[in-house]
Amino acid sequence: MRVFTAAFAIASGLIVLLGYFFPIQPLSQLRLILTDWAIVIAGFSVLIGIFNLIAVQMEKIRTRQKGSVYGALLVVSLIFTFGIGLLLGPEDPFMRLAVDAVIVPAEAALMAILAVTLIYASIRLLRRRVDLMSVLFLLVAVLFLLAIMPTPFGPIPGDQLILDVAGMFSRGGARGLLIGIALGTLLTGLRVLFGIDRPYGGN
Amino acid sequence: MSFEFLSALAGFVLTLMIFSYLVGDNPLFRIAVYLFIGVASGYAATVVWHYVLMPKLFQPLQTGDATQLLLAIIPLMLCVSLLTKLSPRISWVGNFAMAILVGVGAAAAVGGAVLGTLIPQVQASMDALDFRSAASGSAALFKFVEGVVMLAGTVFTLGYFQFSAGRAPDGTPKRNAIFEGIAWVGRFFIAITFGVLFAGVYMAALTAMLERLTSMINFIRQLIGI
Amino acid sequence: MADIRCPSCGKNNPDFLDVCQFCQTPLKPESMLHIGESPVKKNTGELEPILPQWLKDVRQQGRDSAKEDAAEEAAKPKVQKNEAPDLLAGLASQARAEDDEIPDWLASINPATKPKSVSAPTPEPEKDFFAQFNKSEPAPVNEPVQEDVPSWMSDARETPQAAEEKDELSEWFMKASAEPSAPVEIESNEMGWMGDVDSPSFTFKEPAAPTEEKEDEDLSWLHSLEDSSKQSFDPSTGSGQGVAQGKPSPPSIPQPDLNLMPSADLSQPSSQQEDLSWLNELGGLETFTPSQPAPAQPTAQESIPAQPPAQKDDLDWLNNLGGQDVTSFEEKPAQGDLSWLNNLEGQQIVEEPPGQVSLYSPRRTGPLDGKSNEDSMPDWLKSATEEPSMPPPGALSEWFRETDQPPLSKPQPASDELNAFAPASDSASLSSQDVDSLFSVDMPDWVSRPESGTEESSSQKADVQSDGSLAPVDLPSWVQAMRPVESVIEETPSMESQPTEKEGPLAGLRGVIPIAPIGSSRRPKAISLKLQASEEQQAGAALLERILASETNPRPLVTSAFVISQRVLRWAISGLFIVVLGAMIFLRTQNMPVSAALPNDVSAASNAVASLPQNSAVLVIIDYEPALAGEMEAVSGPLLDQLVLLTHPQLTFLSTSPNGSALVERLLTNTKINQPAPNGLDYRAGQNYFNLGFLPGGSSGVLEFVQSPTSAMPSAGVNNLSAYVAIILLTDHAESGRVWVEQLSSQKQIDPSLSNQPLLVSASAQAGPLLQPYVSSRQIAGMVSGLSDAVRYEFVNNSRPGIARAYWDSFGVGLLMAIAMITIGSLWSLFTGIRARRAEAELG
């Protein structure tokens, strides 16, 4: 059975990969079908994940674990929202109300807390770790903020130089990071296509 | 009450509940977070159902074309087999669907990495040193310097993440001296890059805070009529 | 009493102990026998003075009890008792099973004592070996001796008349007593069981008084035999033969088979010596030279015809012994027959009290002082008196060492040792009746014991001691070494409280097996199982316990000023931000100037938008989360506003996150694109813009959409991506932007029609730096990154829509506060950190 699953994965991956280099029609059509199936499966897996979330919270409620009350609130709100959405559709004003009233404010507020946390962490950085890299890190961050910061008196002198120099170095480093990420993605993908790694349960 | 007022009121209350975390962890914060997760998950399920499953899975079943029907049944069967993943005993049945998903995703990632990042970025690194297109001498010099710096940053940053090492006489892992020097220089580029990233994250978070405070103040103003 | 400290556990022990009573470690190193060493043989006789007092007491008690028993027994009439079967019943049963087997000589051995033995237990089975000899049984006497008769008795199958047999035996013993007796050394074992035999049918001589001369003691029993035979001798039956002078003849002493006597030295010239050859063979009587020729004793093969054939066969050897009247027997000089017995006269003779016929006297089991007349004693007696095998010298030396004990007295008589080893149980010892029936002669006192046992023994101790009938027994050293350790002995009842065994081989003995009441506290002291740890070890163990206890104890939370300062710092930062920024927002200030110079990336984006055709389709990808919706709306607003204002495109919105599809309306509302004029651009859903919804699958979904938008999103309405004149990517994280960039770039290499399709990116400030390389590589045509770029772009667009400008002043203040807090806080943290590390370094 493991051989069949590995064959499925390798075959579908090779078909899609070859379509990048050989845009012939049958291959492109097959590639399109496979990617379409992958989209559907990915979408259904989102539902599976949401169902698993419900199961976990229900288990916490059943076993009366600590925080099970919050789990009950989660399950109730989820089922209610999904039910309304099934009936009315995602474009319904009620659903938009859920997004505008709950989802956006909650996430935005959490992101706003991050600003305080970042300032607090940067203040305590040199207390825990004093080395050249830490000092350089904080110095660059401060200079970059300083260069961007508007003043009532106009931009500070040398802000553009700071931005250019910092940008130059950051672009070099970012490119190195991107190339490194791409190389890692390439290696991981090839391991899957060669059947060395089988994250789909073939091992 | 209009939806806008209810939306604003709910947003205001939720924002306050989450801001209460700045004082300390409390039940209000937990209620707000769990409520957010539940509503977001429900909305996501609604979106998946309406925008993915219905048009791509169930509606093709209503077609009369056999080919289309067959092409619709197979993903339906694969999706149903995914349900077996909930049971450890029969989870092996969903391995086929996962195999297709993983295979296609790996191929897309490999193709995009090679064709979308590696080749263009390497090309760009070489093009950065081409100062012949520069208009003036200073511009050319600056361009050349910029290219060198970017190339150096690229190389040194990649060298920093090269963790292959040999064994020193005392048994500890030790990298090559050349790689050790390259890594040491690469740390400077990484530190500068992360400093810039840190500043960007802070600015994004600050903007989010400004947006929330603006929303709350506008609600208060609307509430008090000013 | 001095104490000895154990080298192992450190506890004090009495000095008389060899091993520690707590941990069983040898207390004295010199008492231990080390590897390679061989035990040193020592003369136990030299150790007599150092015997512990308790041992002396026990031995004395034994001697006293033996004397008392002997005296009592001598005083009591011989009453034949029907006792329980004893260990010697086998012999009796053997004889009983085959009545024919009862040799005639046995039946005729006891002619004198037969009348004294009240009644011969004829019908009774021979439970007692000695009882059978008390019978006036012509029948068993006349029975022919069969083959299974003990071999030592087979040679003496003669059938003399019963009375004649008795007479012959009496005569034999008389002769023996008349002869000089050689010193007899009998091993303690042999004498022990015989000493405790309770045989009322026999008359025992009083135990011999403890004397130094062993020869006298050895002959006492013979003398008693002689006396008894004389007294009980019936002239009608003929004189007893083989009875030593002055010694009663044991009426029913079994006579061993001469032929089977080990190393029987039949060198005696006279037939009398041959008669006593069995005695020679008992102990190797090489040196036995009877002064008188022993009574004629035919050889084993010699059969003497008797009147009754059976009788004659049984008593042939008796005829040979003492010169019986039976014609078949050769008369032997009494003196010669008992010459070896005469030698025994040199030993101490225990005078028997009048009226008693004690055939045997208690004998010393072994000389402790080593004195022994080895030259004059027969070999078989010598073996009893020779130095026994030595136990480990250390054990003996320590066992005998008793520095605080009073000087040792004389060796106790044998009866003491006999009492020491007396059985603890009050079982019936070998009854006197059994003994009598066994031997059919008058047994000496030490052979039989009275029934009462302890009382008699205790009462007879003095008599025994005084009379000397039962000589004190000098136990060999190896026997003494086998004594239990004192700690166990201490727990056991004293010898006096121990009952005397009534039957069995331990009959008459006391205290051989000490009584240990079940369930009582008198148990051997248990070995301490407690771990013997020194004080240092205990202290270490206690310390370890404290350490372990501290590990499980919950540590108190650090509620010091350090933690409080952290909380206060966080509160201060939060409050400062909220208050200052809130004030700025509330005041709606816009005093911060905005630079009109656009960054290159922003300018490129603006130029790309301006170059787009009119009323074209533009794909807008909503790829950010609701968390950064405010920033993205502020950043993407100017770009979309310019796009809409300049080209009036048909916007197609697509989202790769589930919540992104819900942000489309919010975006268009906040950017006033879908607001009705004059406030907005009056874009309407379904006409001017379309929301395709959510595209799952990540890179796979993007790949499919890039290949065929209709296949991926059926509501897209376009078959090729090239139908879109531009693609605007709104993203808040570099990962999703990278995926779109990669897939679009790869598709552009396949589809050349996509080569002029610009990709415009509106990125969050956190994603911009990582997407800059794509801008440098021209994979991204233009990018607006962060609020700073948006405010400038907005400024250039005549402040439309104005979201970025609304945040700009507060944004500046926020940046200023961050810069100030980071700078001041970092310097303060650096200073305090250095000071703390210096303090730690000083403390060491």
Side-chain angles (χ1 to χ4, degrees):
Chain A
M1 188 60 64
R2 294 179 296 176
V3 176
F4 289 116
T5 55
F8 261 66
I10 294 171
S12 58
L14 286 178
I15 291 172
V16 173
L17 186 61
L18 289 176
Y20 280 103
F21 305 100
F22 304 102
I24 55 180
Q25 192 58 34
L27 187 62
S28 298
Q29 195 69 24
L30 186 59
R31 183 183 184 215
L32 199 64
I33 294 173
L34 288 173
T35 52
D36 188 65
W37 290 352
I39 290 172
V40 175
I41 294 171
F44 196 82
S45 63
V46 173
L47 284 184
I48 298 294
I50 293 172
F51 184 77
N52 185 53
L53 174 65
I54 295 174
V56 170
Q57 297 300 324
M58 291 297 291
E59 183 64 23
K60 287 179 62 177
I61 296 169
R62 188 182 65 84
T63 56
R64 306 286 181 93
Q65 294 183 14
K66 185 179 180 181
S68 61
V69 178
Y70 305 116
L73 178 62
L74 185 149
V75 172
V76 170
S77 60
L78 191 152
I79 293 175
F80 179 76
T81 305
F82 184 59
I84 298 296
L86 284 179
L87 294 175
L88 303 178
E91 300 298 330
D92 188 82
F94 188 83
M95 296 304 293
R96 288 186 57 188
L97 179 65
V99 174
D100 294 336
V102 177
I103 297 174
V104 174
E107 286 197 38
L110 291 171
M111 194 68 181
I113 294 176
L114 182 62
V116 177
T117 306
L118 291 176
I119 298 299
Y120 178 79
S122 60
I123 289 174
R124 296 189 55 79
L125 176 63
L126 294 185
R127 186 181 178 88
R128 297 178 181 178
R129 181 179 175 181
V130 181
D131 57 359
L132 181 60
M133 296 304 151
S134 301
V135 174
L136 183 62
F137 169 80
L138 285 179
L139 184 64
V140 169
V142 169
L143 289 177
F144 196 82
L145 292 176
L146 192 63
I148 293 178
M149 180 187 69
T151 63
F153 314 103
I156 60 174
D159 58 339
Q160 196 61 41
L161 180 62
I162 293 172
L163 291 176
D164 292 340
V165 173
M168 183 169 55
F169 282 90
S170 67
R171 279 194 296 272
R175 179 166 288 170
L177 291 175
L178 288 177
I179 293 175
I181 293 171
L183 290 174
T185 303
L186 174 63
L187 185 62
T188 303
L190 288 178
R191 289 175 64 87
V192 173
L193 293 178
F194 290 159
I196 299 173
D197 291 339
R198 301 179 185 181
Y200 38 84
N203 290 330
Chain B
M1 288 188 176
S2 61
F3 277 166
E4 291 78 12
F5 181 79
L6 290 176
S7 176
L9 177 63
F12 180 82
V13 173
L14 276 174
T15 303
L16 287 179
M17 294 169 68
I18 291 177
F19 276 359
S20 66
Y21 185 75
L22 295 174
V23 179
D25 193 5
N26 57 86
L28 292 177
F29 173 78
R30 290 179 178 269
I31 291 173
V33 169
Y34 277 83
L35 181 63
F36 155 70
I37 294 173
V39 173
S41 301
Y43 187 83
T46 302
V47 168
V48 168
W49 180 264
H50 281 276
Y51 290 117
V52 179
L53 298 182
M54 284 300 293
K56 297 180 75 63
L57 198 62
F58 299 113
Q59 288 181 357
L61 295 176
Q62 299 174 0
T63 182
D65 188 3
T67 305
Q68 294 296 328
L69 188 63
L70 180 63
L71 292 177
I73 290 177
I74 294 175
L76 179 63
M77 292 173 57
L78 293 174
C79 290
V80 172
S81 68
L82 273 181
L83 292 174
T84 60
K85 284 293 185 182
L86 297 174
S87 173
R89 196 156 46 93
I90 55 175
S91 63
W92 63 271
V93 179
N95 290 344
F96 292 98
M98 293 300 297
I100 294 175
L101 185 62
V102 170
V104 174
V110 168
V114 172
L115 298 176
T117 300
L118 282 176
I119 295 176
Q121 293 300 317
V122 171
Q123 185 67 40
S125 299
M126 293 187 294
D127 292 341
L129 297 174
D130 186 9
F131 54 88
R132 292 174 295 177
S133 61
S136 61
S138 61
L141 180 62
F142 181 79
K143 190 173 175 62
F144 177 78
V145 172
E146 183 181 17
V148 172
V149 171
M150 288 187 64
L151 181 61
T154 304
V155 173
F156 288 121
T157 301
L158 286 173
Y160 173 80
F161 291 104
Q162 183 61 246
F163 296 112
S164 300
R167 190 170 296 276
D170 58 351
T172 58
K174 184 176 177 59
R175 286 191 290 189
N176 191 322
I178 298 175
F179 275 102
E180 194 69 34
I182 293 174
W184 190 81
V185 177
R187 293 171 63 188
F188 282 97
F189 283 94
I190 292 174
I192 295 173
T193 303
F194 283 175
V196 173
L197 287 175
F198 174 81
V201 173
Y202 170 72
M203 287 189 288
L206 179 61
T207 307
M209 177 177 283
L210 294 175
E211 186 271 334
R212 281 290 90 206
L213 291 175
T214 302
S215 172
M216 294 171 62
I217 290 172
N218 289 338
F219 175 77
I220 293 173
R221 278 186 171 180
Q222 183 180 2
L223 198 63
I224 60 180
I226 58 175
Chain C
M1 183 187 298
D3 293 337
I4 301 176
R5 187 178 182 84
C6 176
S8 175
C9 63
K11 296 190 176 182
N12 295 330
N13 295 273
D15 57 355
F16 55 81
L17 293 179
D18 296 335
V19 293
C20 177
Q21 56 183 340
F22 301 102
C23 63
Q24 306 305 315
T25 304
L27 293 174
K28 290 134 186 169
E30 59 273 14
S31 66
M32 293 185 291
L33 185 65
H34 302 285
I35 298 175
E37 295 181 0
S38 60
V40 178
K41 200 168 187 179
K42 293 188 180 180
N43 187 2
T44 55
E46 299 175 353
L47 303 176
E48 179 66 20
I50 62 174
L51 282 178
Q53 183 61 35
W54 62 267
L55 179 59
K56 298 176 185 175
D57 297 339
V58 170
R59 295 175 67 178
Q60 183 62 33
Q61 293 174 2
R63 295 194 189 99
D64 295 340
S65 63
K67 292 179 182 178
E68 293 174 0
D69 293 341
E72 184 176 348
E73 187 60 30
K76 286 177 57 178
K78 302 299 177 185
V79 178
Q80 197 172 20
K81 297 179 181 179
N82 298 330
E83 294 298 333
D86 61 338
L87 297 182
L88 296 178
L91 296 175
S93 62
Q94 195 174 18
R96 181 177 62 255
E98 298 167 354
D99 295 335
D100 299 338
E101 299 176 5
I102 299 175
D104 296 334
W105 65 268
L106 287 178
S108 62
I109 278 179
N110 189 13
T113 59
K114 280 286 170 86
K116 284 194 174 182
S117 58
V118 176
S119 61
T122 48
E124 184 182 30
E126 280 72 10
K127 298 179 182 179
D128 190 351
F129 175 72
F130 296 96
Q132 60 185 342
F133 300 102
N134 293 333
K135 305 173 188 176
S136 58
E137 63 275 34
V141 176
N142 297 328
E143 290 177 356
V145 176
Q146 298 188 2
E147 295 179 358
D148 53 353
V149 172
S151 57
W152 58 273
M153 297 170 62
S154 63
D155 198 29
R157 294 178 187 178
E158 298 175 355
T159 56
Q161 296 178 357
E164 296 175 351
E165 294 177 29
K166 297 177 184 178
D167 297 336
E168 293 169 356
L169 188 58
S170 302
E171 295 175 358
W172 175 72
F173 278 106
M174 290 176 64
K175 292 179 181 179
S177 62
E179 294 174 355
S181 60
V184 178
E185 293 183 0
I186 303 176
E187 293 184 358
S188 60
N189 288 341
E190 298 177 4
M191 298 305 296
W193 71 269
M194 297 189 72
D196 290 337
V197 169
D198 186 8
S199 175
S201 60
F202 299 96
T203 58
F204 295 94
K205 297 178 65 177
E206 291 296 325
T211 58
E212 299 178 357
E213 299 182 2
K214 195 178 66 172
E215 292 78 4
D216 296 337
E217 296 176 0
D218 294 339
L219 295 176
S220 61
W221 66 277
L222 289 174
H223 295 307
S224 63
L225 285 175
E226 180 183 6
D227 295 338
S228 63
S229 62
K230 287 180 180 178
Q231 292 178 6
S232 60
F233 180 65
D234 187 0
S236 60
T237 60
S239 60
Q241 183 181 1
V243 179
Q245 293 179 354
K247 299 190 174 96
S249 62
S252 61
I253 295 178
Q255 300 301 322
D257 187 3
L258 297 178
N259 295 328
L260 297 182
M261 290 298 111
S263 64
D265 187 2
L266 299 178
S267 60
Q268 293 85 354
S270 60
S271 60
Q272 291 180 349
Q273 288 185 352
E274 293 178 351
D275 294 340
L276 299 176
S277 61
W278 68 271
L279 293 176
N280 297 334
E281 295 173 353
L282 281 176
L285 299 175
E286 291 84 359
T287 58
F288 175 68
T289 54
S291 57
Q292 296 180 358
Q297 185 70 25
T299 60
Q301 305 304 325
E302 188 177 356
S303 62
I304 304 172
Q307 300 85 2
Q311 292 181 354
K312 286 185 179 179
D313 293 336
D314 293 339
L315 299 176
D316 281 343
W317 67 277
L318 288 176
N319 294 332
N320 295 328
L321 279 177
Q324 301 178 11
D325 293 340
V326 178
T327 57
S328 59
F329 289 96
E330 296 180 11
E331 293 187 3
K332 307 291 178 183
Q335 296 294 330
D337 292 341
L338 298 177
S339 59
W340 67 273
L341 292 176
N342 293 331
N343 295 329
L344 298 179
E345 287 182 352
Q347 300 179 4
Q348 184 179 1
I349 299 175
V350 178
E351 294 296 332
E352 63 174 350
Q356 280 191 349
V357 180
S358 60
L359 302 179
Y360 301 103
S361 62
R363 311 177 70 85
R364 293 175 62 85
T365 58
L368 291 179
D369 55 357
K371 297 180 183 179
S372 62
N373 299 326
E374 297 182 353
D375 297 335
S376 59
M377 283 191 298
D379 295 339
W380 67 274
L381 290 178
K382 284 185 182 178
S383 62
T385 58
E386 68 183 359
E387 294 181 357
S389 58
M390 295 298 299
L396 266 185
S397 63
E398 298 307 317
W399 184 64
F400 281 116
R401 186 178 302 173
E402 194 72 25
T403 57
D404 295 337
Q405 297 294 332
L408 296 175
S409 58
K410 292 181 179 179
Q412 300 296 326
S415 60
D416 294 336
E417 280 69 25
L418 297 179
N419 291 329
F421 291 100
S425 60
D426 196 8
S427 59
S429 59
L430 190 62
S431 61
S432 58
Q433 177 188 359
D434 297 335
V435 176
D436 293 338
S437 63
L438 186 63
F439 291 100
S440 302
V441 295
D442 293 330
M443 300 299 294
D445 293 338
W446 59 268
V447 176
S448 62
R449 288 257 180 213
E451 288 297 326
S452 56
T454 54
E455 297 85 0
E456 296 173 354
S457 61
S458 60
S459 62
Q460 292 176 359
K461 281 181 184 177
D463 297 335
V464 172
Q465 189 69 23
S466 60
D467 296 338
S469 59
L470 186 62
V473 177
D474 295 333
L475 292 177
S477 59
W478 65 270
V479 176
Q480 295 169 353
M482 291 169 57
R483 300 177 70 87
V485 295
E486 187 178 6
S487 61
V488 178
I489 292 177
E490 291 177 352
E491 296 294 334
T492 58
S494 62
M495 293 300 174
E496 295 181 354
S497 63
Q498 295 287 337
T500 306
E501 292 297 323
K502 297 294 188 295
E503 61 182 6
L506 301 180
L509 296 177
R510 179 191 304 158
V512 175
I513 301 176
I515 294 178
I518 298 175
S520 68
S521 61
R522 288 183 169 183
R523 290 182 178 176
K525 186 175 292 184
I527 299 174
S528 174
L529 297 179
K530 189 189 293 186
L531 178 64
Q532 304 298 331
S534 62
E535 293 181 357
E536 183 178 353
Q537 293 172 342
Q538 290 179 2
L543 178 62
L544 182 60
E545 287 181 2
R546 288 197 297 272
I547 294 172
L548 293 177
S550 65
E551 289 292 331
T552 57
N553 293 334
R555 294 183 182 178
L557 296 178
V558 180
T559 57
S560 61
F562 179 75
V563 178
I564 297 176
S565 64
Q566 291 182 352
R567 198 176 300 170
V568 171
L569 178 62
R570 190 164 65 245
W571 292 346
I573 294 173
S574 305
L576 194 63
F577 267 90
I578 292 174
V579 170
V580 172
L581 296 179
M584 293 293 295
I585 292 172
F586 185 81
L587 297 175
R588 294 180 180 175
T589 60
Q590 294 186 3
N591 299 324
M592 298 293 182
V594 178
S595 172
L598 291 178
N600 297 332
D601 300 337
V602 178
S603 175
S606 177
N607 296 332
V609 170
S611 63
L612 291 177
Q614 294 289 324
N615 300 321
S616 57
V618 175
L619 180 62
V620 181
I621 302 169
I622 307 297
D623 198 19
Y624 59 89
E625 295 296 327
L628 292 176
E631 182 191 17
M632 292 308 301
E633 293 167 0
V635 170
S636 59
L639 180 64
L640 292 176
D641 186 75
Q642 182 188 12
L643 178 66
V644 170
L645 284 175
L646 291 178
T647 63
H648 301 282
Q650 186 180 35
L651 300 176
T652 302
F653 292 94
L654 180 64
S655 176
T656 56
S657 66
N659 297 321
S661 62
L663 299 175
V664 173
E665 295 293 330
R666 181 186 171 90
L667 173 65
L668 295 178
T669 302
N670 292 336
T671 57
K672 299 178 182 179
I673 295 177
N674 63 355
Q675 294 295 318
N679 296 330
L681 301 177
D682 198 20
Y683 257 54
R684 298 182 183 176
Q687 292 181 354
N688 305 105
Y689 66 91
F690 301 93
N691 189 0
L692 299 180
F694 168 59
L695 179 65
S699 59
S700 301
V702 173
L703 175 62
E704 186 187 10
F705 187 84
V706 167
Q707 290 183 109
S708 173
T710 307
S711 298
M713 306 297 293
S715 60
V718 295
N719 295 326
N720 199 332
L721 191 64
S722 58
Y724 301 107
V725 297
I727 296 175
I728 298 175
L729 177 61
L730 309 181
T731 179
D732 64 346
H733 52 282
E735 182 64 25
S736 63
R738 183 176 64 83
V739 170
W740 278 102
V741 171
E742 289 177 351
Q743 298 304 327
L744 287 173
S745 299
S746 61
Q747 187 63 25
K748 286 179 180 179
Q749 295 182 9
I750 298 174
D751 188 358
S753 60
L754 297 177
S755 58
N756 294 326
Q757 185 184 55
L759 176 60
L760 304 177
V761 177
S762 176
S764 170
Q766 65 182 9
L770 284 178
L771 295 176
Q772 282 289 339
Y774 292 115
V775 177
S776 301
S777 63
R778 296 191 179 91
Q779 290 174 279
I780 295 176
M783 185 173 69
V784 180
S785 175
L787 191 65
S788 60
D789 290 348
V791 73
R792 293 179 185 185
Y793 196 178
E794 192 176 86
F795 182 77
V796 169
N797 288 345
N798 301 321
S799 296
R800 289 180 59 83
I803 302 174
R805 188 66 185 88
Y807 294 155
W808 185 239
D809 287 7
S810 304
F811 183 78
V813 173
L815 292 182
L816 180 62
M817 288 192 300
I819 293 170
M821 283 187 284
I822 290 173
T823 304
I824 297 172
S826 299
L827 291 175
W828 176 255
S829 297
L830 183 64
F831 174 74
T832 55
I834 293 173
R835 188 175 62 180
R837 280 186 286 273
R838 281 185 181 177
E840 292 177 359
E842 290 175 358
L843 293 176

